[in-house]
């Protein structure tokens, strides 16, 4: 009997592993279609309330879907215009900034010469050699970047088309799920689709709210420090929070370098870094948990791993898609009895499992005392 159980477990593990490998290979091979489709699904969730509202005032579904899409394009275009225009404004002062950066570089060279007991010529030669070694693969990176431009342009066309049809054919897709899983009760499928929608909506609305709060906090700190273009750098860093764990850190480096180039003291740049890290701590421990709530609560370790694995699989787009896709997977795993364990693995651990033996005994005694009273 033990051999039979062992064989059953082995075959189950092997089949699950092969299925996972097959899914990853398919996703990687078809990423030029799958990635735009996933973005279209997520944006469709955001636009669904708008589309439904337009339908309620008498518009046909085709007109409501098209108008919702146009509104989304206008919002994205407006944000892009603000970012590009401010970048151009900063670029107009490029000569002054470049001269200040040169002054900072000269001071760093003088400090390095004194620190490492090398002449400025020897130090600059060593830096050039290091840079030439690190830039040896620049050609391949540039080729990859140029190749990705075509994918980006195709996605810019494909995503809006998919969004329109996801909104227009939403009832048709719901009927497809009913027919594809005809052996599953209709109520269960309805519950699953509703849960996926609620999770994505909670995540996206919470993300936008968090970005707004972080943008305000970043801008306030930069204004206090007297950094030019404070609101631009504050909003830019807030937008980068879409990349968990590293986004706001990257967003802090840009204004810190700008402060280093435009201010007379190094402490302005240090102040930017310290303030942004304080905002990141506040965002990670208080803002996001209280705004996003328990509906999208996942194991932090799994979230971190999904972030890096998504980047390995789909690149930059995979980093953005990682958390919402894992949230959707968690909902699906929770609905299917055979995959409950995987849903549990993705969820936030119960606080009782994080207590030491002494803490558990103390909590037990407190409960016993409360029940006795």
């Amino acid at each position: 009997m033990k051999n039979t159980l062992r064989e059953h477990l082995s075959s189950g593990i092997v089949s699950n592993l092969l299925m996972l490998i097959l899914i990853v290979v398919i996703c990687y091979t078809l990423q030029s279609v799958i990635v735009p489709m996933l973005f279209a699904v997520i944006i469709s969730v955001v636009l669904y309330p708008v589309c439904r509202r337009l339908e309620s005032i008498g518009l046909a579904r085709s007109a409501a879907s098209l108008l919702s899409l146009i509104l989304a394009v206008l919002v994205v275009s407006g944000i892009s215009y603000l970012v590009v225009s401010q970048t151009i404004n900063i670029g107009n002062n490029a000569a002054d900034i470049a001269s200040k950066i040169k002054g900072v570089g000269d001071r760093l060279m003088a400090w390095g010469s004194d620190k490492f007991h090398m002449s400025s010529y020897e130090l600059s030669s060593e830096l050039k050699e290091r840079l030439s070694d690190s830039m040896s693969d620049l050609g391949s990176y540039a080729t990859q970047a140029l190749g990705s431009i075509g994918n980006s342009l195709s996605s810019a066309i494909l995503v809006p088309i998919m969004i329109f049809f996801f909104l227009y054919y939403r009832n048709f897709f719901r009927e497809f799920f009913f027919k594809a899983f005809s052996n599953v009760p209709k109520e269960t499928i309805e519950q699953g689709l509703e849960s996926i929608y609620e999770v994505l909506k909670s995540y996206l609305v919470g993300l936008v709210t968090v970005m707004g709060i972080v943008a305000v906090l970043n801008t306030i700190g930069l204004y206090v420090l007297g950094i030019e273009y404070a609101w631009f750098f504050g909003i830019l860093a807030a937008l980068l929070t879409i990349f968990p764990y590293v986004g706001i850190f990257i967003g802090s480096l840009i204004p810190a370098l700008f402060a280093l180039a435009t201010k007379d003291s190094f402490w302005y740049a240090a102040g930017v870094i310290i303030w942004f890290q304080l905002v990141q701590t506040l965002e990670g421990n208080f803002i996001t948990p209280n705004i996003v709530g328990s509906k999208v609560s996942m194991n932090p370790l799994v979230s971190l791993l999904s972030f890096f694995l998504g980047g390995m699989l789909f690149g930059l787009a995979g980093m953005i898609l990682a958390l919402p896709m894992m949230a959707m997977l968690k909902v699906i795993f929770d609905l299917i009895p055979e995959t409950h364990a995987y849903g549990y693995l993705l969820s936030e651990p119960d606080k009782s499992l994080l207590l030491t033996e002494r803490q558990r005994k103390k909590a037990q005694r407190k409960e016993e005392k409360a029940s006795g009273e």
Side-chain angles (χ1 to χ4, degrees), residues 40-336:
V41 168
I42 292 174
I43 298 172
S44 298
V45 169
V46 178
L47 295 179
Y48 171 64
V50 178
C51 185
R52 191 169 57 181
R53 178 65 178 171
L54 292 173
E55 291 173 6
S56 68
I57 62 176
L59 288 180
R61 177 161 296 179
S62 57
S65 302
L66 183 60
L67 187 56
S68 301
L69 177 60
I70 291 173
L71 290 174
V73 171
L74 289 176
V75 170
V76 173
S77 300
I79 295 173
S80 302
Y81 172 77
L82 288 175
V83 172
V84 172
S85 63
Q86 286 302 306
T87 303
I88 293 174
N89 288 337
I90 295 173
N92 291 334
N93 300 322
D96 295 336
I97 295 174
S99 64
K100 292 181 180 179
I101 290 176
K102 184 178 182 300
V104 172
D106 292 339
R107 292 198 297 271
L108 288 175
M109 289 291 291
W111 175 84
S113 299
D114 182 65
K115 183 73 174 177
F116 299 105
H117 306 290
M118 299 172 63
S119 66
S120 298
Y121 176 77
E122 292 173 335
L123 187 60
S124 62
S125 299
E126 181 69 19
L127 288 174
K128 288 179 181 178
E129 184 178 351
R130 299 287 183 182
L131 285 173
S132 62
D133 291 339
S134 63
M135 298 289 281
S136 59
D137 295 330
L138 181 61
S140 61
Y141 290 136
T143 302
Q144 293 176 5
L146 291 173
S148 66
I149 293 176
N151 293 333
S152 300
L153 292 175
S154 63
S155 297
I157 299 172
L158 193 58
V159 170
I161 295 174
M162 287 183 174
I163 291 171
F164 172 79
F165 282 110
F166 282 149
L167 292 172
Y168 186 52
Y169 286 152
R170 59 181 185 268
N171 290 340
F172 172 77
F173 290 125
R174 183 183 289 108
E175 288 297 324
F176 162 76
F177 285 112
F178 293 151
K179 294 180 181 298
F181 303 99
S182 56
N183 57 331
V184 180
K186 188 175 180 179
E187 295 76 14
T188 304
I189 299 176
E190 285 279 9
Q191 179 188 352
L193 294 175
E194 186 65 26
S195 298
I196 291 174
Y197 169 73
E198 288 296 330
V199 164
L200 284 178
K201 186 179 74 171
S202 299
Y203 173 78
L204 295 170
V205 172
L207 181 64
V208 172
T209 306
V210 168
M211 281 183 176
I213 295 173
V214 169
V216 172
L217 293 175
N218 290 342
T219 303
I220 290 173
L222 292 174
Y223 266 123
V224 171
L225 290 169
I227 307 298
E228 293 182 83
Y229 307 104
W231 70 268
F232 168 69
F233 288 124
I235 293 175
L236 180 63
L239 291 175
L240 289 174
T241 57
I242 198 171
F243 303 105
Y245 308 106
V246 298
I248 199 167
F249 174 72
I250 297 173
S252 67
L253 290 180
I254 300 173
L257 291 174
F258 184 81
L260 193 65
T262 57
K263 295 293 183 181
D264 296 329
S265 174
F266 164 80
W267 290 107
Y268 286 98
V272 171
I273 296 290
I274 292 171
W275 176 254
F276 274 60
Q277 295 311 304
L278 184 64
V279 171
Q280 183 181 29
T281 303
L282 188 64
E283 178 265 327
N285 292 284
F286 299 100
I287 300 174
T288 298
N290 286 297
I291 290 177
V292 177
S294 59
K295 288 185 178 179
V296 198
S297 62
M298 288 194 302
N299 188 324
L301 176 60
V302 173
S303 300
L304 183 61
L305 289 175
S306 67
F307 174 71
F308 287 109
L309 291 175
M312 292 173 63
L313 185 61
F314 293 140
L316 191 65
M319 296 179 182
I320 300 173
L321 292 168
L323 290 184
M325 290 303 103
M326 290 302 293
M328 289 176 59
L329 279 178
K330 182 181 179 301
V331 171
I332 296 171
F333 288 157
D334 288 339
L335 287 173
I336 303 173

Side-chain angles (χ1 to χ4, degrees), residues 5-26:
L5 180 61
R6 189 181 296 112
E7 291 174 1
H8 178 72
L9 290 174
S10 300
S11 62
I13 293 172
V14 170
S15 61
N16 290 336
L17 184 59
L18 289 175
M19 181 63 69
L20 178 62
I21 293 173
L22 180 62
I23 292 172
V24 171
V25 170
I26 292 173

